[in-house]
Amino acid sequence: MKVATRAHVPPFAVMEILAAANARRAAGVDVLNLCAGEPSTGASEVVRQRAVELLTSGDLGYTEALGAPGLRAAIATHYRTWYGVDVDPARIAVTTGSSGGFMLAFLAAFDVGDRVALARPGYPAYANILRALGCEVVELPCGTASRFQPTVEHLEAAGPLDGLVVASPANPTGTMVGASALADLAAWCAEHGVRLVSDEIYHGITYDADAQVATAAQYLDTGAVVVNSFSKYWAMTGWRLGWLVLPDDLVAPVDALAGNVALCPPALAQHAGVAAFSPDGYAAARANVERYAASRTLLLERLPELGWTHVAPADGAFYLYADVSSTGLDSVTWCARLLDEAGVALTPGTDFDPVDGHRFVRLSFASSPDVVREAVDRIVRWQGTLTA
C-alpha cells in the first residue's frame, strides 16, 4: 500500500538515543541521561495538587477548541506581568504542547510550496513539520559570527520568503535574540510580507540578570505568531500543554483547525495548568532555574578539562552546544561510544545541523548539578582514553 511522501521525514534522533539509554537502564546498566531537554523535577506541587483535586471532583469534559477561558485569561495576565504587553485572551490558543502549536500555526499560515526560513543549527521538528506540510525549508547558516541566530542580512540573502521561524533562547545553542534584533527582524518581515513565528518556550530560563528577553507578542499587529509551552520553564513536559499568541487574521483559522484536529487540548492539564501562574507555581519554576544555573556554572568552569573550545554562548535554556571534532571522532560516533563505554547519553549535532552537526554535540543540563558533575567526570575520563 502507498505511504504518503510527506511521512518520509527523519526521526528526531534524540528520541532514539533516549530509547537506547532507557534500554540500558532497564538492563541494569548505569546511565546518566543528558540527551533530552527535559527538566528532572517535574511539575510543581501546586500544579500536581490541583490535578488531584480535579481528578476527584473536577469537570474534565471537552473545553473550547482554543482552550479553557480561565487558562487563556491566566496566560494573558502572564504577558502583562512579565512583558508589559496587553494581549486579548481571544488571541490565545491553548495547544497540545508547543508541538501541536507549531502544527496549527504552520497549517494556518503557510501553503504548499511556501518558502520558510529558519536558523541552522536549530530544532529539527521545525523543518520536519514544514516539509511534511509541503513547504520549502530555507536553512540560514547561522554560525558564531551571528551567535547562531538569524539576522536581516541572512534574510536578504535567502531570496523570496513567506515565513521565518526564530527561537530565543534557542535549541540547541541556548543563544538569544535581543530586543533590538527582534525588532529588526519583525520590521523586515512586516515590510516584506513574511510571517514571523517566534518560539519562546525557553523564556524564563536565562542567566544574565540584565538580559533583555523580548517577546514577539509586541508585533501581533504585523502578523507575528508566538509559540510557548509549559514544558520547559514549568517542567510540565508530559502534560502536553502549550499555547499560541495569534494575530487577528489567524485566530479563526486556528480555531477551525484545532477543533477538527484534536477537538481540544487535554482538559486535566489545562485546568491544572492555571495553578502554574500562582505565586507558588512561579516560585517553583524560579527554583528550577537556579538549579540549571548551578549546573551551567559547573560546566563552564570545567570546559578546559573537557577541551571543548568552540562552545555556543549558553545565554538561556539548558543546553551546551560544543565542538568535539578535536577528538578525531564525528559526533554520531562520539555519542554512541560515550554511551556504550562511559554510560553517558548526549545528542549528536547532526540532529540539529545536517551540514556542520557532525562536529558538535548537545549536552542538556536540565538534570541536577550532582548528575551533571558526575557526567562531566565520566566524559573527562573517557576522552582521556581516546588519546591514551
Side-chain angles (χ1 to χ4, degrees), residues 3 48 57 67 90 104 118 125 151 167 209 223 232 283 300 304 340 344 352 355:
V3 176
R48 289 186 283 115
S57 60
L104 290 172
L118 44 85
T151 64
K232 308 303 182 179
L300 295 179
D340 186 54
V344 179
F352 313 99
V355 178

Side-chain angles (χ1 to χ4, degrees), residues 190-281:
E191 180 183 350
H192 293 82
V194 173
R195 181 78 68 178
L196 172 64
V197 180
S198 179
D199 180 349
E200 301 179 3
I201 71 171
Y202 293 99
H203 274 211
I205 308 176
T206 58
Y207 307 104
D208 181 353
D210 297 323
Q212 290 181 299
V213 181
T215 176
Q218 301 172 77
Y219 307 111
L220 297 179
D221 290 340
T222 66
V225 177
V226 173
V227 185
N228 211 320
S229 171
F230 288 78
S231 291
K232 308 303 182 179
Y233 184 66
W234 284 280
M236 294 171 61
T237 51
W239 297 69
R240 307 316 304 135
L241 194 62
W243 73 82
L244 300 172
V245 186
L246 297 164
D248 283 339
D249 63 338
L250 290 187
V251 173
V254 168
D255 191 357
L257 286 164
N260 280 283
V261 170
L263 293 182
C264 70
L268 176 62
Q270 287 192 68
H271 295 308
V274 174
F277 297 106
S278 68
D280 287 346

Side-chain angles (χ1 to χ4, degrees), residues 26-98:
V29 180
D30 180 38
V31 175
L32 300 179
N33 184 1
L34 276 65
C35 68
E38 182 170 29
S40 60
T41 55
S44 63
E45 174 63 26
V46 66
V47 170
R48 289 186 283 115
Q49 184 57 46
R50 181 59 181 142
V52 170
E53 295 169 359
L54 289 162
L55 282 171
T56 56
S57 60
D59 176 7
L60 299 179
Y62 293 135
T63 70
E64 292 84 344
L66 291 184
L71 180 56
R72 295 166 76 190
I75 293 170
T77 299
H78 173 74
Y79 276 86
R80 187 162 53 252
T81 302
W82 268 36
Y83 307 104
V85 176
D86 287 323
V87 174
D88 185 344
R91 286 186 166 193
I92 294 170
V94 182
T95 60
T96 307
S98 61

Side-chain angles (χ1 to χ4, degrees), residues 51-365:
V52 170
E53 295 169 359
L54 289 162
L55 282 171
T56 56
S57 60
D59 176 7
L60 299 179
Y62 293 135
T63 70
E64 292 84 344
L66 291 184
L71 180 56
R72 295 166 76 190
I75 293 170
T77 299
H78 173 74
Y79 276 86
R80 187 162 53 252
T81 302
W82 268 36
Y83 307 104
V85 176
D86 287 323
V87 174
D88 185 344
R91 286 186 166 193
I92 294 170
V94 182
T95 60
T96 307
S98 61
S99 299
F102 280 112
M103 179 66 78
L104 290 172
F106 292 165
L107 277 169
F110 304 127
D111 284 318
V112 171
D114 279 357
R115 303 182 79 243
V116 183
L118 44 85
R120 175 177 61 77
Y123 181 55
Y126 305 146
N128 292 342
I129 295 172
L130 286 165
R131 290 190 177 109
L133 296 178
C135 295
E136 178 184 349
V137 174
V138 181
E139 293 185 336
L140 307 175
C142 301
T144 55
S146 65
R147 302 180 80 259
F148 297 94
Q149 289 287 357
T151 64
V152 168
E153 289 72 25
H154 285 117
L155 301 180
E156 294 283 4
L161 295 173
D162 299 286
L164 168 67
V165 181
V166 298
S168 175
N171 176 9
T173 61
T175 59
M176 294 170 60
V177 177
S180 61
L182 181 61
D184 290 343
L185 292 171
W188 188 94
C189 287
E191 180 183 350
H192 293 82
V194 173
R195 181 78 68 178
L196 172 64
V197 180
S198 179
D199 180 349
E200 301 179 3
I201 71 171
Y202 293 99
H203 274 211
I205 308 176
T206 58
Y207 307 104
D208 181 353
D210 297 323
Q212 290 181 299
V213 181
T215 176
Q218 301 172 77
Y219 307 111
L220 297 179
D221 290 340
T222 66
V225 177
V226 173
V227 185
N228 211 320
S229 171
F230 288 78
S231 291
K232 308 303 182 179
Y233 184 66
W234 284 280
M236 294 171 61
T237 51
W239 297 69
R240 307 316 304 135
L241 194 62
W243 73 82
L244 300 172
V245 186
L246 297 164
D248 283 339
D249 63 338
L250 290 187
V251 173
V254 168
D255 191 357
L257 286 164
N260 280 283
V261 170
L263 293 182
C264 70
L268 176 62
Q270 287 192 68
H271 295 308
V274 174
F277 297 106
S278 68
D280 287 346
Y282 280 118
R286 288 193 298 268
N288 284 343
V289 175
E290 290 176 2
R291 294 171 71 250
Y292 309 146
S295 295
R296 174 180 178 272
T297 297
L298 183 155
L299 282 167
L300 295 179
E301 289 176 346
R302 299 192 64 180
L303 282 178
E305 292 178 72
L306 289 163
W308 298 348
T309 54
H310 296 90
V311 180
D315 300 327
F318 33 58
Y319 304 117
L320 200 67
Y321 194 63
D323 187 337
V324 297
S325 60
S326 62
T327 63
L329 301 177
D330 67 88
S331 61
V332 173
T333 303
W334 191 96
C335 287
R337 287 188 56 181
L338 179 68
L339 177 59
D340 186 54
E341 299 169 18
V344 179
L346 268 62
T347 307
T350 49
D351 221 18
F352 313 99
D353 184 344
V355 178
D356 299 313
H358 63 282
R359 295 169 28 220
F360 288 84
V361 298
R362 188 195 73 176
L363 183 155
S364 168
F365 52 89

